């Protein structure tokens, strides 16, 4: 009768099926994604002195439609809430990573897949392939199935969070659930690391653009693949190929550190068969990429489409493994030449920790005349406990009309590389981006003790004033101390006019406890800061070297000597120069764009 009554128990009831929602099951502080899976359809609350009863948080389920939630009390009085669930939109994302298992004697592993994520962050399904070439491979030809999971974001750090993937393979991750740390660069692209303590790795998550009718890729492509052979030593591949009607032909190079053949170039790819992809963009490439070993064997590859000109590749053979990418050559296919290469930034890294040969190198060069290169580079060779900065001079390159070529970089060492040209309009770091296109893939072909893969990105803007704003970053760090290992991190920082890295916050995966023996294997809210010094003699190059200028990483003031190379205001690379201390890392620094599609995703827990 209009008089507030306190102390009355009110029961809120939502439909048990169909369009509805849930209340937390005894967890009033649970996140939205947990409430979806652990919720109940009833909730009780007691009225306060003003006669008001308020339920705990109510979360819509995944069924769209109108429904009614009823509030009732013991004498039969009711009140109704008319609710409507709007349909969540969803998108397919392709992902790939490579790194080291922590639970399996620091063995190399590769992972690639596709996952559907809706606009609230729920994982609706997916497929993936895992291979460590030792004891664990996803079953073939099906791969693993992703049955659930969720994306949660940090409300304090734009675009940063975690993505859990619940698989049907209990041997992966933690009891079958893999957790990835993510740092979104924009709505369609994120830098990722494995972030569950079972392993550590780095890679990329990218929006998939799939054909309306499943169709095998076609046209000209450049590719690289990096992994391990049957003797657990690094092997890299690189080359160019053309696909037509499901058949592939091309030319490729192999550098197998564990085999007496070493580096072999100019091999013929002739009988590869490319299958039609499934609804997740997953297909196979079989029968022809030869491993130069005794006896000769072939690779079995699974591919995942990112878009019309971007494909992720993973080797799924039981005794060898690798992961990489193939990028389209577009209208330039068949018409490349030496003039296709201009002033560029390059970055190359080896994943070879097991045999003690990790290294990272980055630099920039100009092309004073067709077929010649000059520039500057920073090289970190951990095995020799050395890092150096040197001039690139007397260097040469040659590119055939199919985009297949070679380049010799001469500095303190001589680096012989295969170079494989891509579509000048394609962004290799972010295939969905329309900014900063072009370049090439690189694979080291020296043989001996080193092997690595990398990229060449055209250098179009070296102005420090354009290295400004919010930047996502990541790195795969390899070290030799304590038997060797890896840690990985992603993060976000502000950069005011190329002068410093300020207010940086990241997440790190460190199962080998390189950063701090007392730290957990997964670390959140890691602070980053550093003073950038522009290289006046080499515009586009910045240093964070020595004293207070070094990159300050983590809560325990771990510091790194770092050099950054700017391809343009949106794309940069940084390389660590702590070889004397047994560490090398390489990673991207990318300007952050729009994150509007993350607005409905539930937040992760806030820090203490």
């Amino acid at each position: 009768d209009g008089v507030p009554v306190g102390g009355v128990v009110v029961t809120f009831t939502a439909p048990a099926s169909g369009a509805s929602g849930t209340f937390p099951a005894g967890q009033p502080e649970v996140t939205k994604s947990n409430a979806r899976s652990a919720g109940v359809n009833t909730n009780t609350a007691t009225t306060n002195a003003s006669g008001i009863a308020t339920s705990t948080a109510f979360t819509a389920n995944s069924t769209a439609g109108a429904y009614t939630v009823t509030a009732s009390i013991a004498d039969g009085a009711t009140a109704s809430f008319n609710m409507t669930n709007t349909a969540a939109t969803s998108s397919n994302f392709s992902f790939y990573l490579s790194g080291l298992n922590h639970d399996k004697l620091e063995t190399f592993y590769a992972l690639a897949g596709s996952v559907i994520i809706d606009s609230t962050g729920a994982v609706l399904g997916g497929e993936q392939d895992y291979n460590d070439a030792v004891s664990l491979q996803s079953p073939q030809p099906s791969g693993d199935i992703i049955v659930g999971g969720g994306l949660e974001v940090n409300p304090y750090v734009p675009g940063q969070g975690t993505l859990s993937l619940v698989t049907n393979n209990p041997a992966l991750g933690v009891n079958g659930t893999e957790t990835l740390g993510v740092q979104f660069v924009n709505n369609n692209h994120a830098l990722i690391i494995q972030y569950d303590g079972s392993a550590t790795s780095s890679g990329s998550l990218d929006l998939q653009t799939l054909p309306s009718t499943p169709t095998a890729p076609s046209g000209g492509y450049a590719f690289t693949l990096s992994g391990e052979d049957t003797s657990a030593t690094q092997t890299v591949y690189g080359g160019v190929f053309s696909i037509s009607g499901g058949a592939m032909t091309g030319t490729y190079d192999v550098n197998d550190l564990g085999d007496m053949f070493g580096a072999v170039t100019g091999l013929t790819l002739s009988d590869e068969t490319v299958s039609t992809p499934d609804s997740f963009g997953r297909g196979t490439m079989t029968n022809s990429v030869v491993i130069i070993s005794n006896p000769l064997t072939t690779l079995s590859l699974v591919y995942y489409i990112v878009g019309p000109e971007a494909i992720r590749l993973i080797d799924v053979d039981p005794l060898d493994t690798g992961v990489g990418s193939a990028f389209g050559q577009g209208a330039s296919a068949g018409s490349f030449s030496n003039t296709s290469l201009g002033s560029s930034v390059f970055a190359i890294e080896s994943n070879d920790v097991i045999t003690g040969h990790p290294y990272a190198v980055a630099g920039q060069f100009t092309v004073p005349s067709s077929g010649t290169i000059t520039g500057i580079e920073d090289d970190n060779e951990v095995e020799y406990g050395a890092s150096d900065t040197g001039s690139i001079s007397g260097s040469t390159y040659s590119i055939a009309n199919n985009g297949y070529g070679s380049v010799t970089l001469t500095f303190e060492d001589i680096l012989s590389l295969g170079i494989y040209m891509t579509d000048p309009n394609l962004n290799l770091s972010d295939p969905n981006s329309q900014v900063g296109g072009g370049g090439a893939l690189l694979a080291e072909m020296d043989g001996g003790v080193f092997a690595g893969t990398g990229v060449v990105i055209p250098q179009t803007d070296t102005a420090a004033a354009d290295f400004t704003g919010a930047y996502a970053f990541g790195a795969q760090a390899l070290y030799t101390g304590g038997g060797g290992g890896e840690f990985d991190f992603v993060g976000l920082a502000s950069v005011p006019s190329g002068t410093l890295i300020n207010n940086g916050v990241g997440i790190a995966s460190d199962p080998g406890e390189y950063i701090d023996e007392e730290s957990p294997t997964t670390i959140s809210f890691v602070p980053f800061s550093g003073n950038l010094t522009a290289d006046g003699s080499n515009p586009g190059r910045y240093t964070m070297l020595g004293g207070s200028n070094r990159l300050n990483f983590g809560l325990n003031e771990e510091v790194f000597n770092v050099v950054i190379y700017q391809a343009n205001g949106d794309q940069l690379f940084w390389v660590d120069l702590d070889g004397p201390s047994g560490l090398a890392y390489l990673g991207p620094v990318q300007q952050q764009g729009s994150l509007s599609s993350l607005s409905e995703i539930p937040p992760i827990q806030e820090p203490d």
Side-chain angles (χ1 to χ4, degrees):
D1 298 323
V3 178
V5 180
V8 177
V9 175
V10 178
T11 300
F12 298 89
T13 305
S17 62
S20 185
T22 56
F23 303 97
Q27 303 175 57
E29 300 302 324
V30 77
T31 64
K32 281 176 65 178
S33 59
N34 288 335
R36 269 198 296 273
S37 59
V40 295
N41 72 314
T42 62
N43 183 248
T44 58
T46 302
T47 59
N48 60 18
S50 299
I52 296 172
T54 304
S55 75
T56 53
F58 183 69
T59 302
N61 66 12
S62 58
T63 302
Y67 57 97
T68 299
V69 178
T70 301
S72 60
I73 59 175
D75 68 1
T78 63
S80 297
F81 301 86
N82 296 320
M83 312 289 287
T84 301
N85 290 353
T86 57
T89 58
S90 63
S91 300
N92 283 56
F93 287 84
S94 174
F95 63 91
Y96 77 127
L97 307 103
S98 64
L100 292 183
N101 279 305
H102 183 58
D103 297 338
K104 298 182 178 66
L105 301 177
E106 303 290 2
T107 54
F108 175 88
Y109 76 99
L111 176 64
S114 172
V115 61
I116 304 176
I117 305 174
D118 76 14
S119 55
T120 69
V123 170
L124 306 183
E127 296 176 338
Q128 67 168 37
D129 290 89
Y130 176 100
N131 189 0
D132 68 8
V134 176
S135 60
L136 183 58
Q137 295 84 35
S138 299
Q140 297 303 323
S142 64
D144 298 314
I145 305 302
I146 298 171
V147 298
L151 174 65
E152 296 182 334
V153 294
N154 187 335
Y156 305 97
V157 187
Q160 193 174 115
T162 59
L163 172 63
S164 61
L165 304 175
V166 181
T167 77
N168 66 342
N169 189 339
L172 299 178
V174 179
N175 299 320
T177 297
E178 302 156 336
T179 300
L180 309 180
V182 299
Q183 176 62 65
F184 277 88
V185 181
N186 52 54
N187 290 328
N188 303 326
H189 170 60
L191 307 175
I192 61 175
I193 60 175
Q194 185 148 355
Y195 189 66
D196 54 30
S198 69
T200 188
S201 56
S202 287
S204 176
L205 175 80
D206 295 281
L207 181 72
Q208 284 183 296
T209 302
L210 300 174
S212 55
T213 300
T215 305
S218 63
Y221 289 84
F223 82 97
T224 55
L225 195 74
S226 178
E228 289 189 353
D229 65 8
T230 55
S231 60
T233 52
Q234 189 176 14
T235 303
V236 300
Y237 301 82
V240 298
F241 59 76
S242 179
I243 305 175
S244 178
M248 178 191 294
T249 59
T251 303
Y252 70 101
D253 306 323
V254 181
N255 186 3
D256 187 345
L257 297 184
D259 190 271
M260 62 182 178
F261 291 101
V264 181
T265 62
L267 296 167
T268 299
L269 185 67
S270 59
D271 299 317
E272 190 92 359
T273 301
V274 182
S275 74
T276 300
D278 63 15
S279 61
F280 288 100
R282 180 183 185 269
T284 60
M285 297 177 174
T286 56
N287 295 339
S288 191
V289 177
V290 177
I291 304 173
I292 303 300
S293 60
N294 189 13
L296 295 178
T297 56
T298 60
L299 296 183
S300 295
L301 302 178
V302 166
Y303 72 85
Y304 286 89
I305 293 173
V306 177
E309 288 196 280
I311 304 169
R312 306 305 186 194
L313 305 173
I314 181 170
D315 174 10
V316 295
D317 290 296
L319 296 178
D320 49 79
T321 183
V323 70
S325 300
F327 292 105
Q329 295 180 321
S332 297
S335 60
F336 291 102
S337 68
N338 281 3
T339 60
S340 302
L341 186 66
S343 298
S344 301
V345 164
F346 67 92
I348 308 165
E349 186 173 27
S350 162
N351 61 33
D352 188 10
V353 171
I354 307 303
T355 55
H357 308 306
Y359 79 93
V361 59
Q364 61 188 41
F365 60 77
T366 60
V367 182
S369 61
S370 178
T372 64
I373 291 173
T374 62
I376 187 171
E377 58 74 38
D378 288 274
D379 181 23
N380 189 349
E381 298 177 5
V382 175
E383 181 191 23
Y384 299 112
S387 59
D388 64 76
T389 300
S391 297
I392 299 171
S393 60
S395 299
T396 59
Y397 72 94
S398 177
I399 298 171
N401 60 7
N402 64 353
Y404 172 87
S406 62
V407 57
T408 300
L409 295 179
T410 304
F411 38 93
E412 183 173 326
D413 296 312
I414 297 177
L415 199 60
S416 297
L417 305 165
I419 184 168
Y420 320 106
M421 302 300 297
T422 64
D423 186 344
N425 299 309
L426 182 63
N427 187 313
L428 304 185
S429 300
D430 179 1
N432 291 292
S433 174
Q434 302 301 310
V435 178
L441 302 178
L442 298 172
E444 185 177 1
M445 289 295 137
D446 286 305
V449 297
F450 291 120
T453 56
V455 294
V456 173
I457 305 294
Q459 189 175 48
T460 58
D461 181 3
T462 60
D466 295 332
F467 180 19
T468 305
Y471 283 83
F473 56 81
Q476 184 169 43
L478 308 175
Y479 58 89
T480 55
E486 175 180 339
F487 67 91
D488 300 80
F489 60 86
V490 292
L492 183 71
S494 62
V495 180
S497 299
T499 57
L500 58 93
I501 293 183
N502 190 33
N503 299 322
V505 178
I507 53 179
S509 173
D510 184 28
E513 298 179 335
Y514 178 92
I515 301 168
D516 187 343
E517 293 182 358
E518 297 181 359
S519 295
T521 58
T522 56
I523 314 168
S524 59
F525 296 95
V526 179
F528 288 81
S529 62
N531 296 313
L532 288 162
T533 301
D535 183 342
S537 300
N538 299 282
R541 180 177 181 267
Y542 306 84
T543 62
M544 290 187 287
L545 303 173
S548 61
N549 291 324
R550 291 178 294 178
L551 180 67
N552 192 311
F553 173 97
L555 302 175
N556 298 308
E557 297 187 350
E558 187 79 33
V559 290
F560 301 137
N561 291 287
V562 176
V563 174
I564 295 178
Y565 286 94
Q566 176 180 340
N568 53 63
D570 296 298
Q571 296 183 88
L572 306 95
F573 295 92
W574 59 7
V575 59
D576 173 81
L577 295 185
D578 289 298
S581 63
L583 173 70
Y585 74 67
L586 182 73
V589 179
Q590 300 173 355
Q591 188 165 48
Q592 191 174 59
S594 172
L595 298 176
S596 59
S597 66
L598 304 182
S599 59
E600 296 181 45
I601 295 175
I604 62 174
Q605 294 180 351
E606 64 180 270
D608 293 335

